[in-house]
């Protein structure tokens, strides 16, 4: 079963929850798909056992074969290639290239435009006790996280308990993660800002047709704002992490109260499992 | 010879537009016929690569000189490879003055691009 943990913006306690949840349900696979700003290792502290490059093909033009006709540059949807006819020069802007392959497809001269691999990030694997870790790290300045996220996803074996830390936001990277999970947990805080952010993610998850519920972080008795939103939208708040000084203090030191939430998070997993049967 | 100038309007009395890629208009002045042509910058509101696109326009129009106040790194790279000479005009100059100053050798050649950090300071909202 694959469960993704998502939230609108960062800083809602998503990574904290995901770590506690994976630990409580060990043996499990923790997948950090926030490849632009991975922080899943922060609390989990896995020992990295494997690291490999993630590369994609980018164009390289051979000056002796190219006629500088400019077709490749005209057809590049991202303006990553520039052909300067008068001076017979070509320029490539790697930070704009999406490795779509169109330039090599449209080039009419045989051998003028070849595709060469370019490293765009890395994929890491590791383990922290019975929690295995999988994640990616995208090089700075790359235009899109989606291909690396897909590559990370390909490393997931189907038969395990997979707990996925989704990237923040509501754009392509998070869609790439959520589109083939079984269940989504949306972590949110009971603040106006948090609820607004949550509502955007709720729309997205509904569009994707995924079953989901809310995890309320920093729950305080008497603050019913998130509860009211959930009631109005007919969404279940399936779990609550109370707001306590102690948790916050540990958090800032990279420590989590693992034992305290173990039982509750085990039950939460089982509840979702039963629901999906 | 043709001169390409980024402009805030469509006449020679308009002021120079300090942002190369996101200028409102550009003016192409022909030093032989003394005629000019003004066009709206089609890339002005584009999401990205506006500098690259406009730099290619400079080359396509057959201009050999580009005048603006700030050239971004990508635009600078394209123009340089295209053998286009870049000159800096102060932003309160009119197009007319910029042309005159260029022809009298009074404009400074731009040797390096305006970095993103500098651009953030000069145009705090240019990415919005
Ligand atoms: S691979 Fe696609 S994005 Fe990259 S240069 Fe070629 S056409 Fe442009
Ligand atoms: S399409 Fe091929 S031949 Fe034409 S400019 Fe591009 S690389 Fe050169």
């Amino acid at each position: 079963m694959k469960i993704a943990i998502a939230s609108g913006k960062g800083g809602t306690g998503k990574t904290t929850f995901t770590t506690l949840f994976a630990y409580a349900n060990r043996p499990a696979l923790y997948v950090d798909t926030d490849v632009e700003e991975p922080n899943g290792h922060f609390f989990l502290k896995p020992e990295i056992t494997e690291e490999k490059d993630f590369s994609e093909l980018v164009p390289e033009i051979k000056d002796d074969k190219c006629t500088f006709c400019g077709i490749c540059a005209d057809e590049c949807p991202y303006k990553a290639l520039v052909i300067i006819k008068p001076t017979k020069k070509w320029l490539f802007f790697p930070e704009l290239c999406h490795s779509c392959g169109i330039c090599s497809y449209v080039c009419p001269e045989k051998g003028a435009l070849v595709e060469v691999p370019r490293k765009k990030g890395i994929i890491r694997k590791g383990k922290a006790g019975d929690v295995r870790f999988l994640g990616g790290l995208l090089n700075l300045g790359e235009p899109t996280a989606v291909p690396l996220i897909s590559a990370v996803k390909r490393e997931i074996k189907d038969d395990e308990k997979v707990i996925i830390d989704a990237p923040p936001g509501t754009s392509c990277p998070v869609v790439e993660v959520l589109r083939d999970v079984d269940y989504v947990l949306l972590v949110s805080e009971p603040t106006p800002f948090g609820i607004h952010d949550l509502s955007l993610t709720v729309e997205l998850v509904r569009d994707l047709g995924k079953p989901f519920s809310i995890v309320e972080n920093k729950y305080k008795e008497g603050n019913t704002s998130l509860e009211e939103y959930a009631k109005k939208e007919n969404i279940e708040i399936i779990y609550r992490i109370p707001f306590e000084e102690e948790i916050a203090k540990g958090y800032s030191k990279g420590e989590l109260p693992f034992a305290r939430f173990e039982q509750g998070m085990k039950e939460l997993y089982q509840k979702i499992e039963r629901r999906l049967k | 010879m043709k001169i390409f100038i980024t402009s805030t309007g469509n006449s020679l009395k308009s002021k120079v537009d300090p942002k190369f890629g996101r200028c409102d208009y550009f003016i192409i002045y022909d030093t032989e016929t003394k005629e000019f042509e003004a066009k709206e910058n089609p890339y002005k509101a584009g999401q990205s690569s506006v500098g690259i696109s406009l730099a290619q326009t400079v080359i396509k129009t057959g201009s050999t000189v580009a005048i603006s106040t700030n050239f971004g790194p990508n635009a600078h790279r394209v123009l340089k490879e295209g053998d286009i000479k870049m000159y800096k005009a102060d932003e309160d100059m009119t197009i007319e003055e910029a042309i005159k100053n260029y022809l009298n050798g009074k404009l400074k050649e731009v040797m390096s691009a305006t970095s993103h950090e500098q651009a953030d300071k000069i145009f705090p909202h240019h990415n919005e």
Side-chain angles (χ1 to χ4, degrees):
Chain A
M1 183 162 73
K2 286 188 205 147
I3 302 178
I5 323 298
S7 67
K9 298 237 171 60
T12 54
K14 177 170 64 81
T15 301
T16 323
F17 173 82
T18 313
T19 310
L20 291 170
F21 190 51
Y23 175 81
N25 291 288
R26 64 195 182 279
L29 175 67
Y30 181 115
V31 189
D32 189 358
T33 57
D34 185 3
V35 299
E36 284 171 277
E37 266 179 71
N39 55 8
H41 52 277
F42 187 60
F43 297 114
L44 197 62
K45 304 185 177 76
E47 175 200 339
I48 300 297
T49 51
E50 193 188 329
E51 196 171 293
K52 56 182 176 189
D53 287 356
F54 170 71
S55 303
E56 281 194 294
L57 295 175
V58 299
E60 191 177 285
I61 293 174
K62 303 289 178 203
D63 288 320
D64 53 333
K65 301 241 172 75
C66 174
T67 60
F68 298 93
C69 67
I71 293 177
C72 55
D74 289 343
E75 296 298 321
C76 170
Y78 304 101
K79 295 260 180 285
L81 266 179
V82 172
I83 299 287
I84 305 172
K85 289 176 211 184
T87 53
K88 294 204 180 325
K89 292 258 174 66
W90 64 275
L91 291 174
F92 176 57
F93 295 89
E95 70 280 9
L96 299 173
C97 176
H98 284 56
S99 293
C100 68
I102 289 177
C103 51
S104 93
Y105 181 77
V106 297
C107 172
E109 293 305 315
K110 204 168 173 289
L113 192 153
V114 295
E115 292 190 293
V116 294
R118 180 185 146 86
K119 184 179 164 186
K120 297 196 167 178
I122 52 171
I123 295 175
R124 293 186 286 204
K125 288 181 185 177
K127 60 180 197 324
D130 284 334
V131 179
R132 288 188 302 117
F133 173 82
L134 168 65
L137 175 63
L138 190 69
N139 285 355
L140 229 70
E142 287 299 331
T144 161
V146 173
L148 177 52
I149 292 174
S150 312
V152 168
K153 274 171 41 182
R154 283 195 292 274
E155 304 281 335
I156 300 174
K157 309 277 173 294
D158 261 347
D159 52 332
E160 37 195 8
K161 282 186 199 165
V162 186
I163 315 291
I164 306 176
D165 192 350
T170 48
S171 59
C172 305
V174 62
V175 172
E176 177 64 15
V177 171
L178 299 188
R179 69 191 174 93
D180 54 13
V181 301
D182 302 303
Y183 203 88
V184 182
L185 289 172
L186 300 177
V187 181
S188 181
E189 288 175 2
T191 62
F193 186 71
I195 293 167
H196 169 74
D197 240 28
L198 172 69
S199 67
L200 300 177
T201 319
V202 164
E203 262 173 59
L204 174 79
V205 183
R206 279 190 173 141
D207 283 348
L208 291 168
K210 295 291 170 190
F212 67 100
S213 4
I214 294 172
V215 170
E216 178 166 1
N217 187 36
K218 295 198 182 158
Y219 166 69
K220 255 194 227 146
E221 222 171 303
N223 182 347
T224 55
S225 55
L226 186 61
E227 200 174 323
E228 279 156 29
Y229 166 80
K231 204 176 265 167
K232 195 179 89 216
E233 291 289 326
N234 201 14
I235 309 169
E236 177 191 11
I237 297 183
I238 201 166
Y239 198 81
R240 285 191 164 115
I241 297 180
F243 179 77
E244 281 165 28
E245 289 279 328
E246 217 174 298
I247 299 178
K249 251 192 230 154
Y251 186 98
S252 63
K253 281 188 276 176
E255 287 162 14
L256 293 182
F258 284 108
R260 181 167 155 199
F261 291 100
E262 185 161 352
Q263 191 53 34
M265 295 223 183
K266 243 186 214 153
E267 284 163 16
L268 172 60
Y269 187 91
Q270 287 157 1
K271 192 169 174 183
I272 296 170
E273 202 171 33
R274 275 198 302 276
R275 196 169 284 184
L276 291 176
K277 263 192 191 139
Chain B
M1 177 185 118
K2 282 182 183 166
I3 306 174
F4 184 105
I5 313 149
T6 57
S7 173
T8 53
N10 59 6
S11 85
L12 294 179
K13 301 263 183 254
S14 311
K15 293 251 161 95
V16 168
D17 196 317
K19 320 172 281 297
F20 179 77
R22 294 197 187 277
C23 60
D24 288 326
Y25 290 83
F26 59 81
I27 284 179
I28 298 165
Y29 179 78
D30 190 322
T31 55
E32 271 127 58
T33 62
K34 308 223 167 8
E35 277 173 10
F36 77 97
E37 193 188 351
K39 278 205 177 127
E40 244 179 277
N41 175 8
Y43 310 112
K44 188 186 163 198
Q47 286 258 331
S48 64
S49 352
V50 291
I52 296 178
S53 301
L54 195 67
Q56 284 176 283
T57 307
V58 175
I59 296 168
K60 281 187 191 141
T61 58
S63 308
T64 48
V65 164
I67 300 175
S68 188
T69 313
N70 297 283
F71 296 88
N74 290 352
H76 190 271
R77 209 178 133 198
V78 174
L79 291 170
K80 198 166 163 224
E81 294 295 328
D83 283 349
I84 306 291
K85 289 232 181 295
M86 289 163 265
Y87 288 89
K88 183 181 170 113
D90 292 333
E91 44 187 296
D92 53 4
M93 267 184 207
T94 63
I95 302 300
E96 220 164 34
E97 286 164 348
I99 295 170
K100 210 191 268 162
N101 283 329
Y102 166 74
L103 293 173
N104 293 331
K106 280 190 186 143
L107 292 189
K108 257 217 192 113
E109 194 172 343
V110 177
M111 303 314 272
S112 61
T114 305
S115 71
H116 291 306
E117 292 73 39
Q118 287 166 318
D120 281 340
K121 265 182 224 148
I122 312 173
F123 316 113
H125 304 296
H126 73 127
N127 275 331
E128 283 169 13

